[in-house]
């Protein structure tokens, strides 16, 4: 090509979900004016993209059929499946580049949208930096599926998650559990795995199936009723919006109820596990200490039952009573529900005769001790003990005996519930007791409101531990004889406990 010769333009043109009448005006114009129209096809030679665009072809264009060399992940190519495809895309890009170099405009047809799981993007990555390029968006299969279902995908603050069905089952389950609304693409042979993931995530009853939206052979159905043998690649699973209609029906409480105790971690949404998100989303009722309930996003249709922090047994009984009446109840707990939190309170009541038929599940969460340790470094890197300084449910003599035993064994200590407005002496008494066993310069991590807006984490000497600086939102990590604290300028200081303990 000479310096003054003009190259052609590359167009990635979205065709929408299948109905030619859903092709945009811009896309139709470009197809009709193109010198070259390229489209992908399987080895049988038929191209869905070309069939959608056929009415806009003039008959005078050069047609470039880009035939995939393989359609399944089995090949004798030395680079495997990915290597075979990479070679194919390089060869296809070279064919298109020859037209562009000759000054011909090239339209590459793409079903749906070119940048939404579209084959065009492989040409774009190889050619767009070399030639003038325009991408024309198209209606995606996601939008088409929602339209055919007649159900919104998202509303208000909901988020939409788009997931390829080719992910491993564990990953699918986690993402579906955490999603507000979701669409799973690329079904076909992945359908059994997707169905199991939806069931494990507790979302199967909400899932809808859409096949060939706006194409011949279109079908919609509840996903649970679909036979896996009949599912093509051009099908999606949809979890629609959960926002209630203007006049929502009464919740179906005819089935068995349940109680799930969910750990929300030490602070906000960043600390929630996918399993916890899924359990919270599936609940009809949320029960918990009001401060912790306020951390959970409000969802239409859910009822929230807040209470004071000191009525754990009453809260547990209330949740189990709701479950006996068919409600799906989540008891919200901060941190991990099994560590000085609501799991024990619920199980104590659940084991009474009146509630033994109610299913109870515990969903773990990030503990306050582990969150605090991560901020400081790795002070829990060796053996450690966890003790609550609260003497509200056990006498101080028991607390002191356990502190002495752990200190005598040279364990790192994670001290929960160190103080409150009504408990002001425990930190000082614990410090003085531990100084009988530990050196004055033993590192102590004070971690307050970890993950919250007023987070403050610092390390002091045991001898300098000031009870006035400790409240109920603080956790203390007391080092062993081996725990180290070191500066790392320009980074923050770190505190850690070596993995190897010296021989006697």
């Amino acid at each position: 090509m000479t310096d003054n010769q003009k190259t052609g333009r590359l167009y990635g043109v979205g065709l929408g979900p299948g109905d030619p009448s859903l092709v945009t005006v811009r896309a139709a114009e470009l197809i009709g004016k193109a010198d070259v129209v390229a489209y992908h096809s399987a080895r049988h030679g038929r191209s869905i993209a070309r069939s959608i665009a056929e009415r806009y072809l003039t008959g005078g264009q050069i047609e470039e059929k880009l035939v995939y060399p393989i359609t399944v992940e089995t090949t004798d190519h030395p680079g495997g499946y990915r290597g075979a495809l990479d070679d194919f895309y390089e060869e296809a890009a070279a064919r298109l580049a020859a037209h562009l170099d000759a000054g011909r405009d090239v339209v590459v047809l793409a079903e749906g949208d070119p940048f939404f799981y579209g084959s065009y993007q492989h040409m774009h990555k190889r050619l767009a930096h070399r030639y003038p390029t325009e991408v024309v968006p198209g209606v995606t299969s996601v939008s088409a599926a929602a339209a055919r279902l007649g159900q919104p995908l998202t509303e208000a603050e909901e988020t939409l998650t788009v997931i390829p069905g080719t992910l491993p089952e564990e990953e699918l389950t986690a993402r579906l559990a955490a999603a507000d609304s979701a669409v799973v693409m690329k079904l076909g042979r992945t359908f059994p795995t997707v169905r199991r993931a939806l069931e494990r995530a507790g979302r199967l009853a909400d899932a809808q199936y859409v096949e060939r939206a706006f194409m011949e052979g279109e079908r919609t159905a509840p996903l649970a009723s679909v036979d896996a043998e009949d599912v093509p690649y051009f099908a999606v699973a949809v979890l629609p919006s959960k926002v209630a209609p203007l006049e929502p029906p009464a919740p179906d409480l005819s089935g068995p109820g349940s109680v799930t105790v969910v750990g929300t971690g030490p602070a906000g949404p960043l600390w929630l596990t996918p399993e916890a998100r899924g359990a919270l989303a599936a609940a009809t009722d949320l029960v918990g200490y009001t401060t912790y309930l306020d951390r959970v996003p409000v969802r239409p249709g859910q009822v929230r039952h807040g209470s004071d922090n000191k009525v754990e047994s009453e809260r547990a009984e209330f949740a189990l009573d709701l479950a006996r009446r068919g409600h799906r109840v989540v008891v919200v707990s901060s941190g991990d529900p099994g560590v000085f939190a609501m799991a024990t309170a619920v199980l104590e009541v659940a084991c009474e005769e009146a509630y033994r038929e109610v299913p109870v599940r515990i969903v773990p969460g990030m503990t306050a001790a582990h969150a605090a340790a991560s901020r400081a470094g790795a002070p829990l890197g060796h053996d450690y003990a966890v003790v609550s300084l609260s003497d509200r449910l056990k006498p101080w003599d028991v607390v002191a005996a356990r502190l002495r035993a752990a200190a005598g064994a040279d364990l790192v200590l994670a001290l929960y519930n160190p103080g409150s407005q009504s408990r002001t002496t425990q930190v000082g008494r614990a410090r003085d007791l531990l100084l009988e066993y530990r050196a004055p310069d033993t590192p102590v991590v004070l971690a307050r409101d970890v993950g919250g807006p007023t987070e403050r984490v610092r390390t002091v000497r045991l001898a300098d531990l000031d009870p006035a600086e400790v409240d109920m939102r603080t956790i203390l990590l007391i080092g062993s004889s081996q725990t180290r604290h070191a500066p790392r300028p320009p980074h923050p200081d770190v505190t850690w406990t070596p993995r190897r303990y010296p021989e006697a």
Side-chain angles (χ1 to χ4, degrees), residues 326-347:
H327 295 248
R328 296 187 304 277
V329 184
V330 162
V331 176
V332 175
S333 181
S334 70
D336 182 281
V339 180
F340 304 122
M342 281 302 300
T344 299
V346 170
L347 291 174

Side-chain angles (χ1 to χ4, degrees), residues 144-146 148-149 208-213 219-221 234-238:
R148 280 308 192 222
L149 289 172
Q208 298 295 314
Y209 171 84
V210 183
E211 176 183 324
R212 304 182 191 278
R219 177 166 67 118
T220 64
F234 287 100
V236 297
V238 181

Side-chain angles (χ1 to χ4, degrees), residues 19 106 246 343:
D19 185 340
V106 177
L246 292 177

Side-chain angles (χ1 to χ4, degrees), residues 145-351:
R148 280 308 192 222
L149 289 172
Q151 293 181 265
L153 284 172
T154 53
E155 187 174 338
E157 283 76 41
E158 287 182 311
T159 59
L160 172 66
T161 304
V162 180
I163 311 168
T166 49
L167 291 178
E169 184 175 327
E170 288 290 328
E171 186 67 25
L172 282 168
T173 303
R175 295 186 185 233
L176 288 166
D180 291 335
S181 304
V183 175
V184 184
M185 311 285 296
K186 307 179 183 182
L187 293 188
R189 59 192 174 88
T190 71
F191 182 80
T193 302
V194 173
R195 190 188 191 285
R196 288 194 303 272
L198 283 161
E199 190 164 20
R200 290 177 63 188
R203 308 297 296 273
L204 183 59
D206 300 326
Q208 298 295 314
Y209 171 84
V210 183
E211 176 183 324
R212 304 182 191 278
F214 290 92
M215 299 170 69
E216 186 177 350
E218 176 181 285
R219 177 166 67 118
T220 64
L223 188 135
S225 69
V226 174
D227 185 344
E229 297 297 322
D230 300 331
V231 176
Y233 180 83
F234 287 100
V236 297
V238 181
L239 291 172
S241 168
K242 287 191 169 187
V243 175
L246 292 177
E247 295 183 7
D252 180 10
L253 303 178
S254 58
S258 63
V259 171
T260 303
V261 190
V262 170
T264 60
L270 288 176
W271 303 85
L272 274 177
T273 67
E275 185 181 16
R277 288 182 184 274
L280 291 167
T284 60
D285 297 75
L286 301 181
V287 174
Y289 174 38
T290 303
T291 298
Y292 300 153
L293 281 182
D294 289 343
R295 297 177 183 172
V296 179
V298 175
R299 287 182 171 86
Q302 283 185 339
V303 182
R304 301 160 80 93
H305 310 272
S307 54
D308 183 74
N309 195 30
K310 296 180 181 179
V311 290
E312 291 93 342
S313 296
E314 294 88 341
R315 187 183 304 139
E317 186 172 354
F318 177 76
L320 289 158
D321 276 329
L322 285 174
R324 282 200 305 185
R325 302 200 299 270
H327 295 248
R328 296 187 304 277
V329 184
V330 162
V331 176
V332 175
S333 181
S334 70
D336 182 281
V339 180
F340 304 122
M342 281 302 300
T344 299
V346 170
L347 291 174
E348 284 175 346
V349 181
C351 287

Side-chain angles (χ1 to χ4, degrees), residues 470-486:
V470 179
D471 62 11
M472 195 64 178
R473 300 181 68 183
T474 305
I475 187 167
L476 302 176
L477 306 179
I478 314 291
S480 71
S481 66
Q482 303 302 306
T483 302
R484 303 288 179 260
H485 177 74

Side-chain angles (χ1 to χ4, degrees), residues 8-15 23 26-40 49-50 53 56-57 61-66 96 99-100 104-110 114 120 123 127 132-136:
R9 292 182 64 87
L10 174 67
Y11 297 94
V13 174
L15 299 173
V23 172
R26 178 62 175 162
E29 288 176 348
L30 290 173
I31 294 168
K33 294 190 301 183
D35 300 307
V36 180
V37 176
Y39 46 85
H40 294 80
R50 189 193 186 284
Y56 304 108
L57 297 172
Q61 293 111 329
I62 300 170
E63 295 191 23
E64 283 285 0
K65 185 183 294 186
L66 310 177
L96 301 186
H99 289 296
L100 293 163
R104 303 185 190 103
D105 289 345
V106 177
V107 162
V108 182
L109 302 178
Y120 163 76
M123 299 299 97
L127 298 172
T133 301
E134 178 183 339
V135 177
V136 179

